[in-house]
Short mmCIF file of all heavy atoms in Angstrom, two decimals:
data_model
loop_
_atom_site.label_atom_id
_atom_site.label_comp_id
_atom_site.label_asym_id
_atom_site.label_seq_id
_atom_site.Cartn_x
_atom_site.Cartn_y
_atom_site.Cartn_z
N TYR J 1175 8.70 39.52 -8.45
CA TYR J 1175 9.37 40.74 -7.96
C TYR J 1175 8.63 41.99 -8.51
O TYR J 1175 8.31 42.92 -7.77
CB TYR J 1175 10.84 40.77 -8.39
CG TYR J 1175 11.57 41.95 -7.88
CD1 TYR J 1175 12.17 41.94 -6.61
CD2 TYR J 1175 11.67 43.13 -8.64
CE1 TYR J 1175 12.84 43.06 -6.15
CE2 TYR J 1175 12.33 44.24 -8.16
CZ TYR J 1175 12.93 44.20 -6.90
OH TYR J 1175 13.57 45.30 -6.43
N VAL J 1176 8.37 41.95 -9.80
CA VAL J 1176 7.68 43.10 -10.45
C VAL J 1176 6.27 43.26 -9.84
O VAL J 1176 5.84 44.38 -9.54
CB VAL J 1176 7.61 42.91 -11.98
CG1 VAL J 1176 6.68 43.93 -12.64
CG2 VAL J 1176 9.02 43.00 -12.58
N MET J 1177 5.56 42.12 -9.68
CA MET J 1177 4.24 42.19 -9.09
C MET J 1177 4.29 42.77 -7.67
O MET J 1177 3.43 43.56 -7.29
CB MET J 1177 3.59 40.80 -9.05
CG MET J 1177 3.22 40.22 -10.38
SD MET J 1177 2.01 41.25 -11.26
CE MET J 1177 0.58 41.08 -10.22
N ASN J 1178 5.30 42.41 -6.90
CA ASN J 1178 5.41 42.93 -5.54
C ASN J 1178 5.71 44.43 -5.54
O ASN J 1178 5.14 45.16 -4.75
CB ASN J 1178 6.49 42.16 -4.76
CG ASN J 1178 6.42 42.47 -3.29
OD1 ASN J 1178 5.34 42.47 -2.69
ND2 ASN J 1178 7.57 42.76 -2.71
N VAL J 1179 6.59 44.87 -6.42
CA VAL J 1179 6.88 46.31 -6.51
C VAL J 1179 5.61 47.05 -6.89
O VAL J 1179 5.27 48.08 -6.27
CB VAL J 1179 8.01 46.59 -7.52
CG1 VAL J 1179 8.11 48.07 -7.85
CG2 VAL J 1179 9.37 46.09 -6.98
N LEU J 1180 4.88 46.55 -7.90
CA LEU J 1180 3.62 47.19 -8.31
C LEU J 1180 2.57 47.15 -7.22
O LEU J 1180 1.78 48.07 -7.07
CB LEU J 1180 3.10 46.56 -9.60
CG LEU J 1180 3.98 46.76 -10.82
CD1 LEU J 1180 3.43 46.00 -12.02
CD2 LEU J 1180 4.20 48.23 -11.13
N ARG J 1181 2.56 46.10 -6.43
CA ARG J 1181 1.65 45.97 -5.30
C ARG J 1181 1.90 47.08 -4.28
O ARG J 1181 0.99 47.75 -3.83
CB ARG J 1181 1.83 44.59 -4.67
CG ARG J 1181 1.03 44.34 -3.41
CD ARG J 1181 1.38 42.97 -2.83
NE ARG J 1181 2.67 42.95 -2.17
CZ ARG J 1181 2.87 43.23 -0.89
NH1 ARG J 1181 1.83 43.58 -0.12
NH2 ARG J 1181 4.08 43.21 -0.36
N ILE J 1182 3.17 47.31 -3.96
CA ILE J 1182 3.51 48.34 -2.99
C ILE J 1182 3.24 49.71 -3.56
O ILE J 1182 2.71 50.59 -2.85
CB ILE J 1182 4.99 48.20 -2.55
CG1 ILE J 1182 5.19 46.85 -1.82
CG2 ILE J 1182 5.41 49.35 -1.65
CD1 ILE J 1182 6.64 46.48 -1.56
N VAL J 1183 3.53 49.93 -4.83
CA VAL J 1183 3.22 51.20 -5.49
C VAL J 1183 1.72 51.46 -5.42
O VAL J 1183 1.28 52.55 -5.05
CB VAL J 1183 3.72 51.22 -6.95
CG1 VAL J 1183 3.15 52.40 -7.72
CG2 VAL J 1183 5.24 51.23 -7.00
N GLY J 1184 0.94 50.45 -5.81
CA GLY J 1184 -0.51 50.60 -5.78
C GLY J 1184 -1.04 50.91 -4.40
O GLY J 1184 -1.90 51.79 -4.23
N LEU J 1185 -0.51 50.23 -3.42
CA LEU J 1185 -0.93 50.47 -2.05
C LEU J 1185 -0.58 51.91 -1.62
O LEU J 1185 -1.39 52.61 -1.03
CB LEU J 1185 -0.28 49.47 -1.11
CG LEU J 1185 -0.67 49.54 0.33
CD1 LEU J 1185 -2.18 49.35 0.50
CD2 LEU J 1185 0.08 48.49 1.14
N ASN J 1186 0.63 52.36 -1.94
CA ASN J 1186 1.04 53.73 -1.58
C ASN J 1186 0.17 54.76 -2.24
O ASN J 1186 -0.22 55.77 -1.63
CB ASN J 1186 2.51 53.94 -1.92
CG ASN J 1186 3.45 53.27 -0.95
OD1 ASN J 1186 3.07 52.87 0.16
ND2 ASN J 1186 4.71 53.12 -1.36
N ILE J 1187 -0.17 54.54 -3.50
CA ILE J 1187 -1.03 55.50 -4.21
C ILE J 1187 -2.44 55.53 -3.62
O ILE J 1187 -3.03 56.59 -3.42
CB ILE J 1187 -1.05 55.18 -5.73
CG1 ILE J 1187 0.32 55.46 -6.33
CG2 ILE J 1187 -2.16 55.96 -6.44
CD1 ILE J 1187 0.49 55.02 -7.76
N ILE J 1188 -2.97 54.36 -3.30
CA ILE J 1188 -4.29 54.31 -2.67
C ILE J 1188 -4.27 55.01 -1.32
O ILE J 1188 -5.18 55.79 -0.98
CB ILE J 1188 -4.79 52.85 -2.54
CG1 ILE J 1188 -5.19 52.36 -3.94
CG2 ILE J 1188 -5.96 52.74 -1.57
CD1 ILE J 1188 -5.54 50.89 -4.01
N ILE J 1189 -3.25 54.74 -0.53
CA ILE J 1189 -3.16 55.40 0.80
C ILE J 1189 -3.04 56.91 0.63
O ILE J 1189 -3.63 57.67 1.38
CB ILE J 1189 -1.97 54.84 1.61
CG1 ILE J 1189 -2.25 53.38 1.98
CG2 ILE J 1189 -1.70 55.67 2.85
CD1 ILE J 1189 -1.07 52.66 2.57
N SER J 1190 -2.28 57.34 -0.38
CA SER J 1190 -2.07 58.77 -0.60
C SER J 1190 -3.33 59.45 -1.11
O SER J 1190 -3.70 60.53 -0.60
CB SER J 1190 -0.94 58.97 -1.62
OG SER J 1190 -0.82 60.31 -1.98
N ASP J 1191 -4.00 58.85 -2.09
CA ASP J 1191 -5.12 59.54 -2.74
C ASP J 1191 -6.50 59.07 -2.28
O ASP J 1191 -7.47 59.80 -2.43
CB ASP J 1191 -5.03 59.36 -4.25
CG ASP J 1191 -3.91 60.17 -4.86
OD1 ASP J 1191 -3.15 60.84 -4.11
OD2 ASP J 1191 -3.75 60.16 -6.10
N TYR J 1192 -6.62 57.85 -1.78
CA TYR J 1192 -7.92 57.29 -1.39
C TYR J 1192 -7.77 56.60 -0.01
O TYR J 1192 -7.96 55.37 0.10
CB TYR J 1192 -8.40 56.27 -2.41
CG TYR J 1192 -8.41 56.80 -3.80
CD1 TYR J 1192 -7.39 56.52 -4.69
CD2 TYR J 1192 -9.45 57.63 -4.25
CE1 TYR J 1192 -7.39 57.02 -5.99
CE2 TYR J 1192 -9.47 58.13 -5.55
CZ TYR J 1192 -8.42 57.82 -6.40
OH TYR J 1192 -8.42 58.33 -7.66
N PRO J 1193 -7.46 57.38 1.03
CA PRO J 1193 -7.16 56.77 2.33
C PRO J 1193 -8.32 55.92 2.90
O PRO J 1193 -8.07 55.03 3.69
CB PRO J 1193 -6.84 57.96 3.22
CG PRO J 1193 -7.36 59.16 2.50
CD PRO J 1193 -7.41 58.82 1.05
N ASP J 1194 -9.55 56.19 2.50
CA ASP J 1194 -10.68 55.41 3.01
C ASP J 1194 -10.58 53.94 2.59
O ASP J 1194 -11.19 53.06 3.22
CB ASP J 1194 -12.01 55.98 2.53
CG ASP J 1194 -12.30 57.34 3.15
OD1 ASP J 1194 -11.66 57.69 4.16
OD2 ASP J 1194 -13.16 58.07 2.62
N TYR J 1195 -9.88 53.66 1.49
CA TYR J 1195 -9.78 52.31 0.98
C TYR J 1195 -8.46 51.62 1.37
O TYR J 1195 -8.21 50.50 0.93
CB TYR J 1195 -9.91 52.31 -0.54
CG TYR J 1195 -11.23 52.85 -1.02
CD1 TYR J 1195 -11.33 54.15 -1.51
CD2 TYR J 1195 -12.38 52.06 -0.94
CE1 TYR J 1195 -12.57 54.65 -1.93
CE2 TYR J 1195 -13.61 52.56 -1.35
CZ TYR J 1195 -13.69 53.85 -1.84
OH TYR J 1195 -14.90 54.33 -2.25
N SER J 1196 -7.65 52.29 2.19
CA SER J 1196 -6.32 51.75 2.46
C SER J 1196 -6.36 50.43 3.24
O SER J 1196 -5.60 49.51 2.92
CB SER J 1196 -5.49 52.79 3.24
OG SER J 1196 -6.06 53.08 4.48
N LYS J 1197 -7.22 50.28 4.19
CA LYS J 1197 -7.27 49.02 4.95
C LYS J 1197 -7.73 47.86 4.05
O LYS J 1197 -7.12 46.79 4.08
CB LYS J 1197 -8.20 49.14 6.16
CG LYS J 1197 -8.26 47.85 6.94
CD LYS J 1197 -8.76 48.05 8.34
CE LYS J 1197 -8.88 46.78 9.14
NZ LYS J 1197 -7.78 45.87 9.12
N THR J 1198 -8.75 48.08 3.26
CA THR J 1198 -9.23 47.04 2.34
C THR J 1198 -8.13 46.69 1.33
O THR J 1198 -7.90 45.50 1.05
CB THR J 1198 -10.48 47.50 1.61
OG1 THR J 1198 -11.50 47.82 2.60
CG2 THR J 1198 -11.01 46.45 0.68
N ALA J 1199 -7.46 47.68 0.81
CA ALA J 1199 -6.39 47.44 -0.17
C ALA J 1199 -5.24 46.68 0.46
O ALA J 1199 -4.75 45.70 -0.13
CB ALA J 1199 -5.89 48.77 -0.74
N HIS J 1200 -4.84 47.06 1.67
CA HIS J 1200 -3.70 46.42 2.33
C HIS J 1200 -4.06 44.99 2.80
O HIS J 1200 -3.25 44.09 2.64
CB HIS J 1200 -3.24 47.23 3.53
CG HIS J 1200 -2.08 46.64 4.26
ND1 HIS J 1200 -2.26 45.73 5.27
CD2 HIS J 1200 -0.74 46.77 4.07
CE1 HIS J 1200 -1.08 45.34 5.72
NE2 HIS J 1200 -0.14 45.95 5.00
N ASP J 1201 -5.21 44.82 3.37
CA ASP J 1201 -5.55 43.53 3.98
C ASP J 1201 -6.13 42.52 3.02
O ASP J 1201 -6.03 41.31 3.26
CB ASP J 1201 -6.54 43.75 5.14
CG ASP J 1201 -5.95 44.53 6.29
OD1 ASP J 1201 -4.70 44.75 6.31
OD2 ASP J 1201 -6.72 44.92 7.19
N TYR J 1202 -6.76 42.97 1.94
CA TYR J 1202 -7.48 42.02 1.06
C TYR J 1202 -7.04 42.07 -0.40
O TYR J 1202 -6.67 41.04 -0.96
CB TYR J 1202 -9.00 42.26 1.15
CG TYR J 1202 -9.50 42.15 2.56
CD1 TYR J 1202 -9.93 43.27 3.26
CD2 TYR J 1202 -9.54 40.93 3.22
CE1 TYR J 1202 -10.37 43.18 4.55
CE2 TYR J 1202 -10.00 40.81 4.52
CZ TYR J 1202 -10.41 41.97 5.18
OH TYR J 1202 -10.84 41.87 6.47
N PHE J 1203 -7.12 43.25 -0.99
CA PHE J 1203 -6.89 43.33 -2.43
C PHE J 1203 -5.46 43.00 -2.84
O PHE J 1203 -5.22 42.11 -3.66
CB PHE J 1203 -7.27 44.73 -2.98
CG PHE J 1203 -7.06 44.86 -4.44
CD1 PHE J 1203 -7.88 44.19 -5.32
CD2 PHE J 1203 -6.00 45.62 -4.93
CE1 PHE J 1203 -7.67 44.30 -6.71
CE2 PHE J 1203 -5.79 45.72 -6.30
CZ PHE J 1203 -6.63 45.06 -7.19
N PHE J 1204 -4.49 43.66 -2.23
CA PHE J 1204 -3.10 43.45 -2.63
C PHE J 1204 -2.52 42.11 -2.20
O PHE J 1204 -1.74 41.52 -2.95
CB PHE J 1204 -2.22 44.63 -2.25
CG PHE J 1204 -2.49 45.82 -3.13
CD1 PHE J 1204 -3.10 46.96 -2.61
CD2 PHE J 1204 -2.18 45.80 -4.46
CE1 PHE J 1204 -3.38 48.04 -3.44
CE2 PHE J 1204 -2.45 46.89 -5.29
CZ PHE J 1204 -3.05 48.00 -4.78
N PRO J 1205 -2.92 41.54 -1.03
CA PRO J 1205 -2.51 40.16 -0.80
C PRO J 1205 -3.08 39.18 -1.84
O PRO J 1205 -2.41 38.25 -2.27
CB PRO J 1205 -3.07 39.85 0.60
CG PRO J 1205 -3.10 41.19 1.27
CD PRO J 1205 -3.48 42.15 0.16
N ALA J 1206 -4.32 39.45 -2.27
CA ALA J 1206 -4.90 38.61 -3.33
C ALA J 1206 -4.13 38.73 -4.61
O ALA J 1206 -4.00 37.72 -5.35
CB ALA J 1206 -6.36 39.02 -3.54
N VAL J 1207 -3.58 39.88 -4.90
CA VAL J 1207 -2.78 40.07 -6.12
C VAL J 1207 -1.51 39.19 -6.06
O VAL J 1207 -1.22 38.45 -7.00
CB VAL J 1207 -2.39 41.56 -6.32
CG1 VAL J 1207 -1.33 41.73 -7.38
CG2 VAL J 1207 -3.63 42.37 -6.64
N ILE J 1208 -0.76 39.25 -4.97
CA ILE J 1208 0.49 38.52 -4.90
C ILE J 1208 0.24 37.01 -4.76
O ILE J 1208 0.88 36.20 -5.42
CB ILE J 1208 1.43 39.08 -3.81
CG1 ILE J 1208 2.89 38.63 -4.05
CG2 ILE J 1208 0.99 38.72 -2.42
CD1 ILE J 1208 3.58 39.31 -5.17
#
Side-chain angles (χ1 to χ4, degrees):
Y1175 182 88
V1176 170
M1177 290 300 294
N1178 192 47
V1179 167
L1180 294 177
R1181 175 184 75 90
I1182 296 168
V1183 167
L1185 183 59
N1186 285 343
I1187 291 171
I1188 287 173
I1189 292 170
S1190 173
D1191 288 3
Y1192 308 99
D1194 292 343
Y1195 298 103
S1196 62
K1197 181 161 178 47
T1198 301
H1200 180 271
D1201 294 350
Y1202 303 108
F1203 180 71
F1204 287 111
V1207 167
I1208 199 74

